[in-house]
Amino acid sequence: MTDWLLTPKPNPDSSVRLVCLPYAGGTAATYIRWADRLPADVELIAVQPPGRSSHIHVPPCQNMNQMVRGIHKALQPYLDGKPFSILGHSLGARVAFELVKRLQRSGEALPRRLYVSASRAPHLATLRNPTSTLPDEMFLEKMRQMGGMPESILADPEQVALYLPSLRADFRIVDTYRTRVTQVPVPIHCIYSREDEHIDPDDALAWAAYSGKGFASQEVAGGHFYINDRSDFWDGFASTLDRHN
């Protein structure tokens, strides 16, 4: 483990790495359980941003640049020539896109594929009412409606006090992130659900404009957090991992 990364099953003999970025308020735990399902030659790297879980007392990132800069720095030991792909869910998809842009600007290796899951295309990301500035009661009710935080946390005042700063910080990134359509020389694989009450399918498929090297899409069933409990997502996603070429 580095400050920002968890590697549940380190595998120096792997042929490819998969770097996974969490949704707003999410943790590396979302992805750690994937380690037992991935092919043996795929090494999982789960991003654990500050302000949550084992880093709960570390100040969270306040903007997109700070988040991307921290992930980029933590990834340096893994940019050793071994192929890798990046996956991000919801806010994590937009962070992943900005990470790819940063890698491109610095002349470093680019991922074989960028997976963007449950996310509208970046230039559409601001077409929503701000969440981060809501009063506490309304903000927590919004978290309940979205379904990403366990009720055991939302119903416990002590837990809420611990997690509220990082939740608000993540949604501040959601609310303030701005960008234009910019193509990256990386294939983009878009995953979406028509049952997702937060992301319109057309807004998700608009990611096609961001790839200069091919675009694919995968429709799955389930709500916004289908990555937590849908086997059809997993089966379709795992079959696309580039492992041997």
Side-chain angles (χ1 to χ4, degrees):
M1 174 181 173
T2 70
D3 287 346
W4 287 59
L5 306 178
L6 285 169
T7 307
K9 286 188 173 183
N11 182 5
D13 296 323
S14 64
S15 60
V16 67
R17 294 183 175 114
L18 176 64
V19 181
C20 297
L21 283 65
Y23 47 81
T27 71
T30 299
Y31 302 112
I32 286 175
R33 57 195 174 90
W34 290 12
D36 291 327
R37 301 187 66 178
L38 285 168
D41 59 343
V42 178
E43 183 179 40
L44 174 69
I45 301 173
V47 175
Q48 183 83 289
R52 65 209 76 202
S53 191
S54 57
H55 299 161
I56 192 66
H57 296 295
V58 180
C61 296
Q62 298 297 320
N63 55 62
M64 180 67 83
N65 286 337
Q66 186 182 6
M67 178 75 79
V68 173
R69 189 166 59 247
I71 298 171
H72 179 233
K73 181 178 179 180
L75 275 176
Q76 289 303 304
Y78 297 96
L79 300 177
D80 55 4
K82 183 175 290 189
F84 66 101
S85 291
I86 302 176
L87 177 144
H89 186 83
S90 196
L91 171 62
R94 280 159 267 163
V95 176
F97 173 67
E98 289 297 325
L99 177 60
V100 171
K101 288 167 60 178
R102 187 179 182 91
L103 291 169
Q104 182 183 16
R105 287 195 303 269
S106 61
E108 294 173 285
L110 297 177
R112 283 185 170 183
R113 195 181 302 261
L114 171 62
Y115 294 92
V116 293
S117 175
S119 171
R120 57 178 60 87
H123 67 286
L124 303 174
T126 60
L127 303 180
R128 59 188 300 280
N129 294 323
T131 297
S132 61
T133 56
L134 290 172
D136 285 355
E137 186 175 343
M138 295 178 65
F139 182 82
L140 293 173
E141 181 57 32
K142 181 74 171 181
M143 298 301 99
R144 285 190 176 90
Q145 293 173 5
M146 294 190 70
M149 292 294 293
E151 182 61 28
S152 60
I153 291 178
L154 294 173
D156 183 336
E158 292 185 1
Q159 291 289 310
V160 166
L162 282 174
Y163 281 92
L164 194 58
S166 62
L167 279 170
R168 281 198 181 277
D170 280 4
F171 277 92
R172 190 175 300 116
I173 295 174
V174 173
D175 292 340
T176 60
Y177 174 57
R178 304 286 190 276
T179 193
R180 297 178 298 173
V181 175
T182 305
Q183 287 194 342
V184 292
V186 173
I188 293 179
H189 184 102
C190 172
I191 308 168
Y192 69 98
S193 171
R194 294 188 183 277
E195 300 169 43
D196 186 339
E197 61 276 25
H198 303 292
I199 306 297
D200 184 274
D202 289 340
D203 289 350
L205 293 170
W207 275 101
Y210 287 79
S211 176
K213 204 172 179 181
F215 177 80
S217 63
Q218 174 189 346
E219 181 179 343
V220 300
H224 189 64
F225 296 98
Y226 52 72
I227 61 166
N228 292 327
D229 54 15
R230 295 297 308 191
S231 60
D232 56 341
F233 154 73
W234 174 261
D235 294 341
F237 157 70
S239 68
T240 67
L241 283 172
D242 293 321
R243 295 160 50 203
H244 300 299
N245 53 29

